Amino acid sequence: SSSSHSKNILEASAISVAVMARLLVGCVVMGAMYAVLTCVMSLLAPADTVFLPVQSGKEATRRQMVQAVAASAAALGSKAAWADNQGERLRAMKLWGPDVLKLKDAVEAGDLKKVLANDLKIKYLTTYWRNNKADFKEMTQLYEGIMEAAYADNKEKVQELYGKYISRRELDAFSKLPPADTFHMTNPDASMSTR
């Protein structure tokens, strides 16, 4: 109906207004940090080198100082999650998670050809954990173990390792999610809001 469509448009515009408000606040904070750091640098510098404090025996140029201040402001103002994650993890889970979870019946039946045919899907899904070294190492070992056991035709080992792989809390939670509502969406990944 047209009222639900209007409601969706209003929700999307409210989200973009919130994003712009956060961006404005970030810019104001960075500007204030620049002003404060400039004042502090001018107070600490010798009178003849205002804005050019001496660092480790060398004089820094004004450009280098401004770049250092801008870099520190950018580092302080950024979010770690934004730097780490541009959506690749969730995209990997959405693309490859369902296919890897569907292998459960094949693994239980001992159909190792189907497991081997899905080698890349399991490998790509393993990239979901790449931002956490310990988790990525664990999941990579499970993936490699599954593939080695499948090549060696060891059905019991494949079942054991696959069971450990899909019992990870992220995959377990993903398997319990309801299907996404993609009504009026030509590309669900391009949506500005979660439905």
Side-chain angles (χ1 to χ4, degrees):
S1 75
S2 98
S3 66
S4 68
H5 180 58
S6 298
K7 182 181 173 188
N8 289 342
I9 291 173
L10 289 174
E11 288 174 0
S13 64
I15 288 170
S16 60
V17 167
V19 169
M20 293 301 288
R22 277 187 267 158
L23 180 64
L24 177 63
V25 169
C27 290
V28 169
V29 168
M30 286 179 22
M33 285 177 57
Y34 174 75
V36 168
L37 289 173
T38 302
C39 292
V40 169
M41 286 188 303
S42 68
L43 292 174
L44 296 176
D48 59 340
T49 59
V50 175
F51 296 109
L52 298 172
V54 177
Q55 294 180 347
S56 68
K58 289 185 173 181
E59 288 189 16
T61 65
R62 184 176 186 155
R63 172 177 276 178
Q64 290 171 332
M65 189 57 66
V66 170
Q67 288 173 344
V69 170
S72 63
L76 290 174
S78 66
K79 294 182 180 177
W82 183 254
D84 279 350
N85 182 7
Q86 298 288 323
E88 297 94 349
R89 292 179 65 224
L90 297 178
R91 183 147 174 85
M93 183 66 80
K94 285 170 56 177
L95 281 175
W96 310 113
D99 291 335
V100 171
L101 290 169
K102 287 178 189 172
L103 287 175
K104 189 174 186 175
D105 293 335
V107 169
E108 288 174 359
D111 185 2
L112 299 183
K113 287 184 180 180
K114 191 165 185 179
V115 173
L116 290 172
N118 286 281
D119 178 5
L120 284 179
K121 292 179 182 180
I122 301 170
K123 181 178 183 177
Y124 293 155
L125 178 60
T126 303
T127 64
Y128 175 88
W129 291 275
R130 74 173 187 261
N131 291 338
N132 183 325
K133 283 186 180 180
D135 288 346
F136 185 62
K137 181 179 179 183
E138 175 189 345
M139 296 307 286
T140 301
Q141 288 173 346
L142 286 173
Y143 155 71
E144 289 172 351
I146 291 168
M147 290 303 122
E148 287 172 9
Y151 281 116
D153 204 32
N154 187 343
K155 296 175 185 176
E156 292 79 22
K157 188 73 170 173
V158 170
Q159 291 169 348
E160 174 193 342
L161 294 174
Y162 178 80
K164 287 180 184 178
Y165 190 95
I166 65 169
S167 66
R168 277 294 296 214
R169 64 185 177 279
E170 298 91 350
L171 264 173
D172 185 48
F174 180 78
S175 69
K176 295 174 183 171
L177 290 175
D181 177 18
T182 57
F183 186 68
H184 284 299
M185 294 174 69
T186 57
N187 182 357
D189 292 328
S191 173
M192 291 181 62
S193 63
T194 305
R195 296 175 180 237

